[in-house]
Amino acid sequence: MKNFIQYGFTFFALLFLSLGSILAQEKDNALPKANEAYSDSKYAEAEAAYRISNSKFPNRSVSPYNLGNAIYKQNQPSEAKYAYAKALKNARSRIQKHKAYHNLGNVFMKEKDYTQAVEAYKNALRNNPDDEQTRYNFALAKKMLKENPPKDNKDKKDKNKDKDKKDQDKKDQDKDKKDQDKKDENKKDQDKKNQDKKDGDDKKDENQPPKPQPGGISKDRLQNLLDAVNNEEKKIQDKVNANKVKGKPVDTEKDW
């Protein structure tokens, strides 16, 4: 672990070189020339020769694999991965697959595509679990992936969170609307009951005779009594006034 921390972002960028069999070299004159140029660090020249070899023997894995190495050495890792992919397609042995997957993992590490790098190194170890360089790169790729999660995954997670929130908000709104509708419906029912009761009371009052005033006397009867009393008082007053006129003394002159 101490060595792992010390290396930091460094990974084993070693590229395995497949020289091909003697039989393949005898039939493919371009392959040995390409290997020689590669050994002399003449990577552009090696690339050209590997392309010739690959065009003559398109079903072999040696030429596309080494072509990927030559391109990688020219700082074109993204282009190199297509050559490695073809090498994997044509690979027949576990050794060939291990080397191709290892170098493909190096490409993804260069591109900082740690998800793909982890998968590539994992496949390399499946074909050769004893390779320490591949094992180290695999551990480093997992570390980098944990520290640098893919942006797409984060965005997807955020979108899912937003969607869940929107769904919950919609559920809450639907519930609130349902509760409000229920309240409105109950209010309408209660208002209707109150109105029906009021209409019933009004109709009942219309069919009943006038209620007597306090004391058991109706308004009309009370008025009649007041009128009768007034008439009696008037009669009495008229009689009193008549008597006063009848009995008034007569003043006479006194004879002194």
Side-chain angles (χ1 to χ4, degrees), residues 58-86:
N59 295 324
R60 291 178 179 172
S61 63
V62 175
S63 295
Y65 174 81
N66 287 346
L67 174 61
N69 290 347
I71 296 173
Y72 185 96
K73 285 292 187 179
Q74 296 175 76
N75 297 320
Q76 299 295 327
S78 297
E79 185 180 349
K81 66 185 176 185
Y82 297 107
Y84 291 138
K86 183 176 181 182

Side-chain angles (χ1 to χ4, degrees), residues 195-208:
Q195 185 63 41
D196 292 343
K197 184 175 182 301
K198 183 176 181 301
D199 293 342
D201 292 342
D202 292 343
K203 186 175 182 181
K204 183 178 180 182
D205 292 341
E206 291 176 357
N207 297 329
Q208 289 182 350

Side-chain angles (χ1 to χ4, degrees), residues 18-75:
S18 296
L19 298 178
S21 64
I22 297 177
L23 180 61
Q25 291 182 27
E26 291 176 354
K27 292 184 178 181
D28 186 358
N29 295 327
L31 183 59
K33 292 180 180 179
N35 290 341
E36 183 178 355
Y38 187 94
S39 299
D40 293 339
S41 300
K42 299 177 181 179
Y43 301 120
E45 184 178 336
E47 177 188 354
Y50 284 133
R51 289 187 182 278
I52 294 173
S53 175
N54 183 45
S55 64
K56 290 182 178 181
F57 301 94
N59 295 324
R60 291 178 179 172
S61 63
V62 175
S63 295
Y65 174 81
N66 287 346
L67 174 61
N69 290 347
I71 296 173
Y72 185 96
K73 285 292 187 179
Q74 296 175 76
N75 297 320

Side-chain angles (χ1 to χ4, degrees), residues 59-119:
N59 295 324
R60 291 178 179 172
S61 63
V62 175
S63 295
Y65 174 81
N66 287 346
L67 174 61
N69 290 347
I71 296 173
Y72 185 96
K73 285 292 187 179
Q74 296 175 76
N75 297 320
Q76 299 295 327
S78 297
E79 185 180 349
K81 66 185 176 185
Y82 297 107
Y84 291 138
K86 183 176 181 182
L88 282 169
K89 182 179 178 181
N90 296 338
R92 296 291 183 268
S93 68
R94 292 169 64 91
I95 294 177
Q96 290 175 334
K97 291 180 181 180
H98 162 252
K99 293 178 179 180
Y101 275 122
H102 177 97
N103 290 1
L104 190 58
N106 291 352
V107 169
F108 290 127
M109 288 293 283
K110 283 281 189 180
E111 295 179 336
K112 296 183 179 181
D113 188 348
Y114 303 118
T115 301
Q116 296 284 13
V118 168
E119 290 302 314

Side-chain angles (χ1 to χ4, degrees), residues 179-230:
D179 292 342
Q180 187 61 43
D181 291 343
K182 187 174 181 180
K183 289 180 180 180
D184 293 341
E185 187 66 26
N186 292 337
K187 186 175 183 302
K188 288 181 180 179
D189 292 341
Q190 187 61 42
D191 291 343
K192 186 175 184 302
K193 289 180 181 179
N194 293 339
Q195 185 63 41
D196 292 343
K197 184 175 182 301
K198 183 176 181 301
D199 293 342
D201 292 342
D202 292 343
K203 186 175 182 181
K204 183 178 180 182
D205 292 341
E206 291 176 357
N207 297 329
Q208 289 182 350
K211 293 182 179 180
Q213 296 295 323
I217 302 175
S218 67
K219 182 178 179 180
D220 293 340
R221 184 183 175 193
L222 180 62
Q223 186 62 45
N224 293 332
L225 289 174
L226 290 175
D227 292 342
V229 171
N230 291 333

Side-chain angles (χ1 to χ4, degrees), residues 129-144:
D130 298 327
D131 189 279
E132 292 299 327
Q133 293 175 353
T134 302
R135 187 177 300 279
Y136 174 85
N137 285 2
F138 175 59
L140 181 59
K142 288 197 297 183
K143 176 178 180 292
M144 297 303 296

